[in-house]
Amino acid sequence: MSTSSSCQSSTLKIGIIGFGPFAQFLAKTMIKQGHTLRATSRSDHSQLCQDLGISYFRNAITFLEADNDVILICTSILSLPEVLKSMPLHGLKRQTLFADVLSVKEYPRDLLLKVLPEESDILCTHPMFGPESAKDGWKDLAFVYDKGCRMLEMSCEEHDKMAARSQFLTHTIGRVLSEMEIKSTPISTKGFESLVQLKEVTVKDSFDLFSGLFLCNRFAKEELKNLEISFEKVKLKLLDMMNVRQDINDSNL
Amino acid sequence: MSTSSSCQSSTLKIGIIGFGPFAQFLAKTMIKQGHTLRATSRSDHSQLCQDLGISYFRNAITFLEADNDVILICTSILSLPEVLKSMPLHGLKRQTLFADVLSVKEYPRDLLLKVLPEESDILCTHPMFGPESAKDGWKDLAFVYDKGCRMLEMSCEEHDKMAARSQFLTHTIGRVLSEMEIKSTPISTKGFESLVQLKEVTVKDSFDLFSGLFLCNRFAKEELKNLEISFEKVKLKLLDMMNVRQDINDSNL
């Protein structure tokens, strides 16, 4: 999508692979920006596409033949290999920029390098927001490319390292809080309310996304371990205090 | 402090025991409300009190003789038994309302019932905010008593049960994130930023507070266990996915 910054006044023909909630969210903004959209996906989204003014292709071959300037990959992380395998990507008639918006970066880059014709351009992007967090607009939210939000360039490795410590960690804590079934209480502090909010936003995303953040980011395992070790440290500090302050259990006033 | 709601236009003589950051924060608002303040504490805060227009007593006996309508207990949870032990509370010349603002409730209630003269009134309160979260005012923040914010009445047991699942849990997660040394990244999502924020607010509070929330609330141990079990569950789900999706590790495209 970085190409759009070099042709500010022109519009692009953008083909979208995978038309789940995140693709729909992006599509609405891209339509407003005047681009022409077409989409294909494994589930049938023809009615929704018709409503939005997007050409929907059930057939991958005709989708690829539709003269796309950019093909935007919006599948789930876990389904990416299968989806790519099902498309005759070597039959592409023109040079195309492939951009993905997956939440891990080394994994799709490596897959795309493997399956795309050599002349294709690849842009690995990660919008750091979703339908929930950007419902009031993209402004100032980080995107690892597009105009209209804060743009950042980094290596896929750098991205994955940083995302494991931030996005994956956040999802893990959201899932743990969901297992605990935390709920607002009449005496919630602001801090606790932010955790309830975090839990609610996290579980709106699929478990497949969460699994993908873990399985397809080689830095995630280390951060999960880190979280576990840090929890153990805090627990030990509390248990130590329990020994130091035996008096409290004895209430020896 | 509930008495203030029955004498809206009158002002009170409020004696504060323990003059740390939280007491200072409350004092500033109570001064604005027109109350007369006096304080005593183990550390010397005479200069600060003079600046704020508060009478400072180094001596507990003269403090207790200063004709306080209300005595507000703002010590740390852990120092409460020692502080109470050091004061000749049975020498009180008048009926006094004792209100505490500690973050656990059964523990101070039981201690106060033990050491106060029988004719004293006891009000166990917990303002669900602090200097950080209420820097823009108390309005709509929960207090388990005072006017000007949302008032709630509940048993000490109910409070402690609820607070273990909310406030103690929040502090634990903040401490774990602090052990992990999480920091803002250029690609932070809103969710992750809320965790960074939580970490920063949490570590501004003393470790003594955190210990007190754990040691002096009989429901906290169970919630710590709950958190651990929930983390294990999430971890197992991820490891299960790793077995199910061996293909990802093998990259068998």
Side-chain angles (χ1 to χ4, degrees):
Chain A
M1 314 227 336
S2 68
T3 55
S4 62
S5 60
S6 59
C7 44
Q8 301 248 350
S9 59
S10 80
T11 60
L12 296 166
K13 283 165 288 181
I14 302 173
I16 301 177
I17 300 178
F19 205 67
F22 194 76
Q24 294 162 24
F25 158 71
L26 291 178
K28 283 170 196 161
T29 300
M30 293 188 293
I31 289 169
K32 277 188 209 142
Q33 291 171 345
H35 303 298
T36 305
L37 266 55
R38 46 284 299 268
T40 186
S41 67
R42 291 188 298 174
S43 318
D44 181 13
H45 288 295
S46 49
Q47 187 55 52
L48 176 61
C49 282
Q50 197 182 318
D51 296 346
L52 293 168
I54 297 171
S55 318
Y56 187 75
F57 295 83
R58 305 222 57 167
N59 184 301
I61 299 174
T62 47
F63 171 80
L64 290 175
E65 283 170 350
D67 188 32
N68 301 294
D69 299 312
V70 181
I71 288 185
L72 193 60
I73 299 171
C74 299
T75 65
S76 75
I77 300 168
L78 298 183
S79 65
L80 181 63
E82 208 183 317
V83 170
L84 291 178
K85 218 194 290 188
S86 73
M87 303 189 100
L89 294 161
H90 272 279
L92 271 172
K93 299 252 163 62
R94 53 162 288 181
Q95 201 189 328
T96 313
L97 169 68
F98 283 81
D100 84 284
V101 296
L102 275 48
S103 294
V104 293
K105 298 274 48 82
E106 291 190 317
Y107 181 71
R109 177 198 61 195
D110 294 349
L111 284 176
L112 290 173
L113 283 171
K114 252 191 220 167
V115 301
L116 292 180
E118 216 169 280
E119 67 275 17
S120 306
D121 293 317
I122 299 178
L123 182 62
C124 299
T125 82
H126 184 191
M128 303 309 299
F129 47 83
E132 273 305 307
S133 56
K135 60 183 172 222
D136 304 321
W138 300 4
K139 205 171 164 304
D140 296 332
L141 295 170
F143 194 161
V144 193
Y145 277 97
D146 187 12
K147 54 178 182 164
C149 40
R150 185 163 50 87
M151 298 209 289
L152 289 166
E153 187 175 350
M154 62 176 69
S155 71
C156 291
E157 181 181 347
E158 259 182 298
H159 169 277
D160 284 4
K161 207 179 269 180
M162 227 175 246
R165 260 188 94 72
S166 55
Q167 193 189 18
F168 168 67
L169 177 66
T170 306
H171 277 253
T172 304
I173 289 175
R175 294 271 161 190
V176 170
L177 296 173
S178 163
E179 285 290 344
M180 288 188 78
E181 299 180 358
I182 64 162
K183 280 194 268 283
S184 280
T185 74
I187 60 167
S188 295
T189 54
K190 282 189 179 177
F192 181 65
E193 275 310 310
S194 74
L195 289 181
V196 173
Q197 176 68 12
L198 180 71
K199 180 208 82 169
E200 278 163 13
V201 171
T202 305
V203 296
K204 277 188 191 155
D205 285 322
S206 65
F207 189 76
D208 260 23
L209 169 65
F210 180 50
S211 307
L213 294 179
F214 178 68
L215 297 177
C216 304
N217 181 336
R218 65 187 165 109
F219 303 100
K221 277 168 212 74
E222 196 185 322
E223 293 304 335
L224 188 70
K225 192 76 214 159
N226 246 333
L227 176 59
E228 191 169 14
I229 291 169
S230 302
F231 174 74
E232 277 305 310
K233 280 189 194 159
V234 171
K235 193 176 127 185
L236 279 181
K237 281 185 188 172
L238 288 177
L239 298 181
D240 279 354
M241 278 301 279
M242 213 152 101
N243 292 327
V244 173
R245 296 295 306 253
Q246 278 295 346
D247 58 314
I248 285 171
N249 294 316
D250 311 341
S251 263
N252 69 342
L253 193 73
Chain B
M1 313 229 331
S2 69
T3 55
S4 62
S5 61
S6 60
C7 44
Q8 301 248 350
S9 59
S10 80
T11 61
L12 295 166
K13 285 165 284 182
I14 302 173
I16 301 177
I17 301 178
F19 205 68
F22 194 75
Q24 294 162 26
F25 157 71
L26 291 178
K28 282 169 196 160
T29 300
M30 293 188 295
I31 289 169
K32 277 188 210 144
Q33 291 171 344
H35 303 297
T36 304
L37 266 56
R38 47 285 297 266
T40 186
S41 67
R42 291 187 299 174
S43 318
D44 182 13
H45 289 294
S46 49
Q47 187 56 53
L48 177 61
C49 281
Q50 197 183 317
D51 296 347
L52 293 168
I54 296 170
S55 319
Y56 186 76
F57 296 83
R58 305 223 58 168
N59 183 301
I61 300 173
T62 47
F63 170 81
L64 290 176
E65 283 170 351
D67 187 32
N68 301 294
D69 300 311
V70 182
I71 288 185
L72 194 59
I73 299 170
C74 299
T75 65
S76 76
I77 300 169
L78 298 183
S79 65
L80 182 62
E82 208 183 318
V83 170
L84 291 178
K85 217 193 292 191
S86 73
M87 303 190 98
L89 294 162
H90 272 279
L92 272 172
K93 299 251 163 63
R94 53 162 285 181
Q95 200 189 330
T96 313
L97 169 68
F98 282 81
D100 84 283
V101 296
L102 274 48
S103 294
V104 293
K105 298 271 53 82
E106 291 190 317
Y107 181 71
R109 177 199 60 194
D110 295 347
L111 284 177
L112 290 173
L113 283 171
K114 254 191 222 167
V115 300
L116 290 182
E118 216 168 281
E119 67 276 16
S120 306
D121 293 316
I122 300 179
L123 183 61
C124 299
T125 82
H126 184 191
M128 302 310 297
F129 47 84
E132 273 304 308
S133 56
K135 60 184 173 223
D136 305 322
W138 300 5
K139 204 170 164 305
D140 295 331
L141 295 170
F143 195 161
V144 193
Y145 277 99
D146 186 14
K147 56 175 180 165
C149 41
R150 185 162 51 85
M151 299 208 287
L152 288 166
E153 187 175 352
M154 62 176 68
S155 72
C156 291
E157 179 182 349
E158 258 182 299
H159 169 277
D160 283 4
K161 206 179 267 181
M162 228 175 243
R165 261 187 94 70
S166 55
Q167 193 189 18
F168 168 68
L169 176 66
T170 306
H171 277 254
T172 304
I173 289 174
R175 295 272 160 189
V176 170
L177 295 172
S178 164
E179 286 288 344
M180 288 189 78
E181 298 179 359
I182 65 162
K183 278 195 269 286
S184 279
T185 73
I187 61 166
S188 294
T189 54
K190 283 188 178 178
F192 182 64
E193 274 311 311
S194 75
L195 290 180
V196 172
Q197 175 69 12
L198 180 71
K199 180 208 83 170
E200 279 163 12
V201 170
T202 305
V203 296
K204 275 187 193 156
D205 286 321
S206 65
F207 189 76
D208 259 23
L209 169 65
F210 180 49
S211 307
L213 295 181
F214 179 68
L215 298 177
C216 304
N217 181 336
R218 66 188 164 109
F219 303 99
K221 278 170 211 71
E222 195 185 325
E223 292 305 334
L224 188 70
K225 192 77 213 156
N226 246 333
L227 177 60
E228 191 169 15
I229 291 170
S230 302
F231 175 74
E232 277 304 311
K233 280 189 193 161
V234 170
K235 192 176 130 188
L236 278 181
K237 282 184 186 172
L238 288 176
L239 298 181
D240 279 352
M241 279 301 280
M242 212 152 100
N243 291 327
V244 173
R245 296 294 305 254
Q246 277 295 346
D247 57 315
I248 286 171
N249 294 317
D250 310 341
S251 261
N252 70 340
L253 192 73

